[in-house]
């Protein structure tokens, strides 16, 4: 398997035919500023899919990921996956006895074909150590990084940005790993108290937290600017774990297969399609669903749910992609989606425009200049229905009402982001297919809003009680690429 950049540069001095998985694992952005994708999507047949029904999560992950990773020996990859996806790591679910499933499917309304009910379910993705779906990919990334770095006898310095969950997931996955330092940027005072405590209370020597006085988009722009400084990136061995990293997106593809198989487990529904509703701000989570669909997984509909920062919803409704300025990006009660410039969107648009890097370079030249683009009235937008996307948005009032409704009707407490997904997914339900809502986090991460919605605090794992009272270590600075560079240089000597 070889990889190409969305902006056209696929060859390198070492690999004229394109880089391998292990090469792009450590790199993040392509040298031309684009994002990596496989040169073609591997295909999964219906018969293969049926053979996977009895597999464990780690076994299913091998079947999916081995199609993207052919430069790690099969036995080594299997061992990495076995070590990653264990009941001990993903032990924070609602039903402890189901921890071995890794991503249990929780039916809110079971399918009832006789009554024309397609069914409504939540796919639990947040049972890992930081209570967020990001753990599904990040725990694997930590093991992959350590493995590849040891093989190559190298070290790497991770630079990332987080709107809430990526940071803690990355830090918990990388803490104590040999050959890895983590520099994580977050928006100052724009995350929940629990999210801040998860990150800032870590005192491992290889973990460095930086809070910038701005939004997530500001932090993300700094990461991209550093990544595009080739001399600095090479000197300090800068890598990425944000969702721009292809390995993270690939790892997330797995749970779409798992969710599909769990939602269609009844006999006689081999040809059944499934819809997935995905809370999305940076487009990484739902991009993985797009890739799974391109591989042949029978996904009938991909429902993109945004909060008040509805840049992506606006595009899927109008064809206009209009990133917002910092001053226009709202701080909401689903803060992990307070994003107005979706990094992974470039991957989908690359497919939408027929994988033409010339078009992508032109479109993202406008984006990088602080503008957007308009595909309305173009042949590209006419192709949009081929990809199965629909969208919607949710507000704070919607969020509270959805959280209350889920608790009253199903006896289930859900977090604010999952509430966005449930609200929008419910609007797009049909009798023909189950609607599976991808859980984003556990409610404990957003205690303040849970109290506002339900008048009660959510439960949290015993190991995380009182985390907000632990000593915190973070460096606060202005939005400045150069200041971040100087900080990294000082820490690395």
């Amino acid at each position: 398997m070889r990889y190409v950049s969305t902006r056209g540069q696929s060859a390198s001095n070492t690999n004229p035919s394109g880089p391998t998985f292990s090469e792009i694992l450590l790199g993040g952005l392509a040298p031309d500023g684009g994002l990596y994708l496989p040169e073609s999507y591997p295909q999964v047949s219906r018969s293969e899919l049926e053979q996977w029904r009895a597999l464990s999560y780690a076994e299913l992950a091998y079947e999916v990921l081995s199609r993207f990773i052919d430069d790690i020996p099969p036995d080594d990859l299997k061992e990495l996956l076995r070590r990653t996806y264990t009941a001990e790591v993903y032990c924070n679910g609602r039903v402890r006895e189901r921890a071995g499933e890794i991503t249990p499917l929780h039916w809110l309304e079971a399918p009832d074909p006789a009554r024309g009910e397609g069914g409504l379910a939540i796919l639990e993705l947040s049972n890992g150590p930081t209570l967020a779906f990001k753990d599904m990919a990040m725990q694997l990334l930590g093991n992959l990084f350590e493995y590849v770095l040891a093989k190559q006898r190298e070290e790497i310095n991770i630079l990332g940005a987080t709107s809430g969950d990526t940071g803690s997931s990355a830090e918990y996955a990388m803490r104590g790993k040999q050959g890895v330092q983590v520099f994580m940027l977050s928006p100052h005072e724009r995350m929940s108290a629990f999210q801040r405590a998860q990150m800032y209370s870590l005192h491992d020597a290889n973990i460095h937290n930086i809070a910038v006085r701005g939004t997530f988009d500001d932090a993300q722009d700094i990461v991209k600017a550093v990544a595009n400084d080739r001399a600095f990136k090479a000197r300090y061995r800068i890598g990425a774990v944000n969702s721009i990293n292809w390995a993270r997106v690939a790892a997330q593809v797995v749970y779409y297969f798992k969710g599909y198989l769990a939602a269609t487990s009844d006999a006689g529904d081999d040809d059944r399609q499934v819809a997935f509703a995905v809370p999305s701000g940076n487009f990484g989570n739902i991009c993985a669903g797009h890739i799974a669909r391109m591989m042949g997984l029978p996904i009938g509909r991909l429902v993109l749910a945004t909060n008040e920062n509805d840049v992506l919803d606006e595009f899927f409704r109008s064809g206009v992609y209009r990133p917002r300025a910092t001053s226009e990006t709202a701080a909401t009660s689903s803060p992990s989606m307070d994003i107005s410039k979706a990094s992974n969107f470039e991957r989908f648009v690359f497919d939408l425009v027929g994988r033409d890097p010339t078009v992508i370079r032109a479109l993202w030249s406008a984006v990088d200049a602080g503008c957007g683009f308009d595909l309305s009235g173009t042949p590209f937008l006419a192709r949009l229905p081929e990809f199965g996307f629909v969208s919607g948005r949710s507000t704070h009032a919607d969020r509270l009402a959805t959280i209350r409704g889920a608790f009253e009707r199903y006896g289930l407490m859900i977090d604010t982001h999952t509430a966005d997904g449930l609200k929008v997914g419910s609007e797009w339900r049909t009798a023909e297919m189950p609607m599976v809502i991808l859980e984003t986090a556990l409610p404990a991460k957003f205690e303040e809003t849970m109290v506002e919605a339900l008048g009660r605090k959510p439960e949290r794992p015993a190991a995380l009680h009182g985390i907000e009272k632990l000593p915190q270590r973070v460096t606060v600075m202005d939005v400045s690429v150069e200041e971040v560079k100087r900080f990294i240089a000082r820490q690395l000597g």
Side-chain angles (χ1 to χ4, degrees), residues 207-244:
I207 302 298
H208 311 276
N209 280 300
I210 303 169
V212 297
R213 297 184 181 95
T215 66
F216 167 76
D217 292 323
D218 292 321
Q220 185 167 252
D221 285 345
I222 291 173
V223 171
K224 283 192 171 184
V226 174
N228 283 323
D229 183 337
R230 296 188 184 183
F232 186 90
K233 181 178 179 180
R235 179 178 179 182
Y236 292 103
R237 290 288 296 157
I238 301 297
V241 293
N242 273 46
S243 57
I244 59 175

Side-chain angles (χ1 to χ4, degrees), residues 212-215 218-219 222 477-484:
V212 297
R213 297 184 181 95
T215 66
D218 292 321
I222 291 173
M477 62 180 66
D478 291 330
V479 178
S480 168
V481 175
E482 294 306 315
E483 191 171 351
V484 169

Side-chain angles (χ1 to χ4, degrees), residues 177-194:
K177 295 292 186 187
Q178 294 298 311
V180 181
Q181 297 277 330
V182 177
F183 296 86
M184 187 59 61
L185 279 62
S186 58
H188 184 47
E189 296 184 342
R190 279 179 171 253
M191 301 187 298
S192 74
F194 186 93

Side-chain angles (χ1 to χ4, degrees), residues 84-148:
T84 299
Y85 297 112
T86 69
E88 291 73 28
V89 173
Y90 297 91
C91 62
N92 292 313
R94 295 177 176 87
V95 182
R96 186 167 291 273
E97 292 75 18
R98 299 186 68 186
E101 296 179 39
I102 310 300
T103 60
L105 186 78
H106 184 105
W107 285 109
L108 303 179
E109 299 175 19
D112 188 346
R115 297 178 57 188
E117 296 290 342
L120 179 67
I122 285 181
L123 186 65
E124 295 187 17
L125 301 178
S126 304
N127 301 340
T130 72
L131 316 186
F133 83 97
K134 307 288 178 73
D135 290 329
M136 292 303 304
M138 205 68 76
Q139 287 291 309
L140 177 59
L141 236 66
N143 289 328
L144 282 169
F145 270 45
E146 191 170 49
Y147 172 88
V148 171

Side-chain angles (χ1 to χ4, degrees), residues 439-456:
E439 183 182 61
T440 298
L442 292 187
K445 293 180 76 80
F446 306 97
E447 189 171 276
E448 297 91 340
T449 308
M450 294 298 107
V451 171
E452 182 182 359
L454 300 174
R456 58 189 292 176

Side-chain angles (χ1 to χ4, degrees), residues 12-16 23:
S12 68
N13 293 333
T14 56
N15 276 308
E23 289 172 330

